[in-house]
C-alpha cells in the first residue's frame, strides 16, 4: 500500500464517520418528529373530548340546567388544548425544516464518501492495468527472445 493509498484510506474513514454522524442526526430528528406527531394525536383526541364535553354542557336539553363553572372550565381547557396543538404544530414545522437540512447534509456526506471510494477504486483499477501491461510486456519480451533463438537455430541448420 502506497503512502497515497494510506492517505485515501484515512480520508475515506473520516468521510464514513461524518456520514454516520449525519445518519444519527437524521435518525434523532425522525424520532423527535414521530414523538411530536404522537403527542399531537393524543392532544387532538383530548381537545376533541373537551370540546364534546363543552358541547354537552351547553346543550339546552341538559337536565339540571346550565352550570357556568363547568362551561368556564371547559372553555379554558379547550383554549389550553388548542394552544398546545398550535405549539406542537409550530414545533413540528421546525423539526421538519431541520430534518430537511439534515437529510441534505446526509446526502452531501454520502456523495463525498462515494467520491473517495470511486477515487480509490479507480486507483486500484489503474494499478491492475499497469501490472497487466507490465506482465504483457514481459511476456512479449520472453516471446521475442524465444523467437530470436528459434531463428538462430534455423539459420545454423541451413
Amino acid at each position: 500500500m502506497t503512502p497515497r493509498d494510506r492517505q485515501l484510506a484515512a480520508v475515506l474513514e473520516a468521510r464514513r464517520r461524518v456520514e454516520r454522524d449525519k445518519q444519527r442526526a437524521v435518525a434523532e430528528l425522525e424520532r423527535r418528529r414521530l414523538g411530536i406527531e404522537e403527542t399531537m394525536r393524543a392532544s387532538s383526541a383530548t381537545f376533541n373530548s373537551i370540546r364534546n364535553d363543552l358541547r354537552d354542557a351547553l346543550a339546552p336539553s341538559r337536565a339540571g340546567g346550565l352550570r357556568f363553572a363547568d362551561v368556564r372550565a371547559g372553555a379554558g381547557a379547550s383554549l389550553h388544548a388548542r394552544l398546545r396543538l398550535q405549539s406542537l404544530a409550530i414545533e413540528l414545522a421546525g423539526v421538519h425544516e431541520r430534518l430537511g437540512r439534515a437529510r441534505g447534509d446526509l446526502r452531501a456526506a454520502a456523495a463525498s464518501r462515494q467520491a473517495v471510494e470511486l477515487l480509490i477504486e479507480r486507483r486500484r483499477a489503474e494499478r491492475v492495468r499497469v501490472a497487466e501491461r507490465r506482465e504483457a510486456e514481459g511476456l512479449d519480451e520472453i516471446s521475442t527472445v524465444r523467437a530470436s533463438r528459434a531463428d538462430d537455430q534455423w539459420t545454423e541448420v541451413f
Side-chain angles (χ1 to χ4, degrees):
M1 186 178 255
T2 67
R4 177 73 174 145
D5 292 338
R6 283 190 289 279
Q7 287 174 343
L8 285 175
V11 169
L12 179 60
E13 185 54 36
R15 301 268 170 98
R16 284 179 177 158
R17 276 193 306 273
V18 168
E19 185 179 11
R20 279 191 302 270
D21 291 344
K22 302 294 182 186
Q23 287 171 340
R24 283 187 198 104
V26 167
E28 179 59 36
L29 287 168
E30 281 290 343
R31 278 192 294 277
R32 181 72 182 132
R33 179 187 63 82
L34 291 172
I36 292 171
E37 288 175 352
E38 181 60 34
T39 304
M40 283 183 77
R41 279 190 287 280
S43 293
S44 180
T46 301
F47 175 71
N48 289 333
S49 174
I50 291 170
R51 213 172 51 182
N52 290 336
D53 291 346
L54 184 58
R55 186 178 301 118
D56 291 344
L58 291 171
S61 64
R62 183 170 185 219
L66 190 64
R67 294 185 51 199
F68 288 107
D70 291 344
V71 171
R72 187 177 29 222
S78 175
L79 179 62
H80 178 73
R82 176 177 284 168
L83 290 174
R84 176 74 176 140
L85 279 171
Q86 289 172 345
S87 172
L88 287 170
I90 291 169
E91 186 178 355
L92 182 61
V95 168
H96 274 288
E97 184 176 328
R98 288 193 308 273
L99 187 57
R101 283 194 307 257
R103 285 179 178 151
D105 291 346
L106 176 57
R107 280 190 298 274
S112 180
R113 174 195 44 83
Q114 288 170 347
V116 174
E117 286 176 342
L118 182 61
L119 179 60
I120 288 171
E121 185 55 38
R122 284 182 180 169
R123 287 182 53 85
R124 188 175 298 131
E126 180 61 27
R127 279 195 309 273
V128 167
R129 279 193 299 275
V130 167
E132 287 173 350
R133 185 173 33 88
R134 285 183 184 153
E135 184 179 341
E137 288 172 356
L139 291 174
D140 288 347
E141 180 68 27
I142 291 170
S143 297
T144 304
V145 169
R146 281 187 180 166
S148 69
R149 285 187 185 159
D151 286 346
D152 288 345
Q153 289 176 353
W154 280 101
T155 54
E156 291 177 6
V157 171
F158 293 108

